[in-house]
């Protein structure tokens, strides 16, 4: 069993320049309800590190977590949640894009895609934008446990193709069943150490 990521919550910020500097940082992005907070809790093996809400769209700030070596992980607000106003959505987009393009410490962006649903139009727009900006990202497919085992091989192929990747390039996880969590924790450590 791999060591959990010893994440400690440091602060929430509404803009890039409110974040403290870091030797290296990994960002977690994905649409509302994809399971970002659950995944962070699973990686740290702590239930209440990141707040998991029944209402999607609760993470509205950049939430910074620190590892003992000073490297950091930032949980970004989820995108695509309809119950917020257009102007608020535009503010979020500005904040997230400003953060992703302006944060020099950023070594990897974990793009969470719902493995059960597959990449949505918004996920594909984000991936296209990341490629255009030449930002380093990895696709993490969540909710592995929700995909029937008989369908998994086909689903893995579909999700990878949908994201324009090889099957081996997508990391599948389930926060609920602890599938792929150790592997992802090791990958996060590798990215931060590069």
């Amino acid at each position: 069993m791999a060591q959990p990521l010893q994440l400690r919550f440091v602060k929430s910020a509404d803009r890039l320049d409110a974040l403290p500097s870091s030797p290296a940082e990994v960002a977690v992005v994905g649409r509302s309800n994809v399971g970002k907070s659950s995944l962070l809790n699973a990686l740290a093996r702590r239930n209440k590190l990141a707040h998991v809400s029944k209402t999607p769209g609760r993470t509205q700030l950049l939430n910074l977590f620190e590892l003992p070596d000073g490297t950091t992980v930032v949980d970004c607000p989820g995108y695509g949640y309809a119950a917020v106003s257009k102007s608020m959505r535009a503010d979020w987009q500005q904040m997230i894009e400003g953060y992703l393009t302006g944060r020099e410490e950023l070594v990897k962006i974990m793009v969470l895609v719902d493995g059960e649903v597959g990449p949505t139009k918004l996920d594909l727009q984000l991936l296209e934008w990341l490629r255009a900006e030449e930002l380093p990202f990895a696709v993490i497919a969540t909710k592995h446990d929700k995909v029937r085992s008989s369908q998994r091989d086909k689903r893995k192929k579909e999700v990878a193709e949908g994201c324009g990747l090889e099957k081996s390039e997508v990391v599948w996880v389930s926060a609920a069943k602890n599938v792929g969590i150790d592997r992802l924790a090791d990958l996060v450590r590798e990215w931060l150490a590069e």
Side-chain angles (χ1 to χ4, degrees):
M1 207 176 194
Q3 281 290 313
L5 293 179
Q6 293 174 322
L7 295 168
R8 173 180 78 83
F9 175 73
V10 177
K11 74 177 294 188
S12 295
D14 61 354
R15 54 184 206 286
L16 171 63
D17 59 13
L19 292 171
S21 66
S22 161
E25 189 162 278
V26 168
V28 184
V29 298
R31 64 184 179 76
S32 298
N33 213 13
V34 74
K36 293 192 308 299
S37 302
S38 302
L39 182 63
L40 281 170
N41 289 338
L43 287 168
R45 287 206 205 108
R46 284 174 55 196
N47 285 343
K48 295 205 168 69
L49 177 72
H51 182 66
V52 179
S53 172
K54 294 268 183 280
T55 323
R58 280 285 180 224
T59 305
Q60 295 183 8
L61 297 164
L62 299 164
N63 291 316
L64 183 97
F65 299 89
E66 190 181 51
L67 285 149
D69 63 1
T71 57
T72 48
V73 174
V74 166
D75 183 15
C76 294
Y79 50 83
Y81 185 56
V84 294
S85 68
K86 268 206 170 92
S87 69
M88 194 166 178
R89 264 202 301 255
D91 289 349
W92 282 6
Q93 191 173 353
Q94 222 179 344
M95 171 173 67
I96 294 172
E97 286 182 7
Y99 162 71
L100 294 176
T101 53
R103 186 73 162 158
E104 285 169 17
E105 294 93 333
L106 209 49
V107 292
K108 190 71 82 178
I109 298 157
M110 295 200 301
V111 179
L112 271 50
V113 171
D114 187 321
E116 188 184 18
V117 177
T120 63
K121 201 172 111 191
L122 286 166
D123 294 327
L124 298 177
Q125 282 171 354
L126 175 70
L127 291 170
E128 196 182 320
W129 181 80
L130 291 171
R131 287 183 173 110
E133 294 287 337
E134 297 182 355
L135 293 168
F137 68 88
V139 171
I140 316 298
T142 61
K143 307 186 184 178
H144 177 275
D145 56 302
K146 296 268 188 355
V147 181
R148 282 208 306 269
S149 51
S150 60
Q151 296 292 310
R152 275 187 196 143
D153 244 22
K154 184 173 164 249
R155 195 82 200 107
K156 286 181 178 180
K157 196 168 166 245
E158 288 167 356
V159 169
E161 279 173 6
C163 295
L165 298 167
E166 295 297 317
K167 210 164 95 171
S168 61
E169 293 178 293
V170 177
V171 181
W172 280 77
V173 295
S174 162
K177 302 276 187 240
N178 212 22
V179 176
I181 298 298
D182 286 351
R183 180 180 170 221
L184 185 55
D186 286 341
L187 282 170
V188 170
R189 273 188 274 265
E190 272 170 42
W191 296 328
L192 290 169
E194 282 167 16

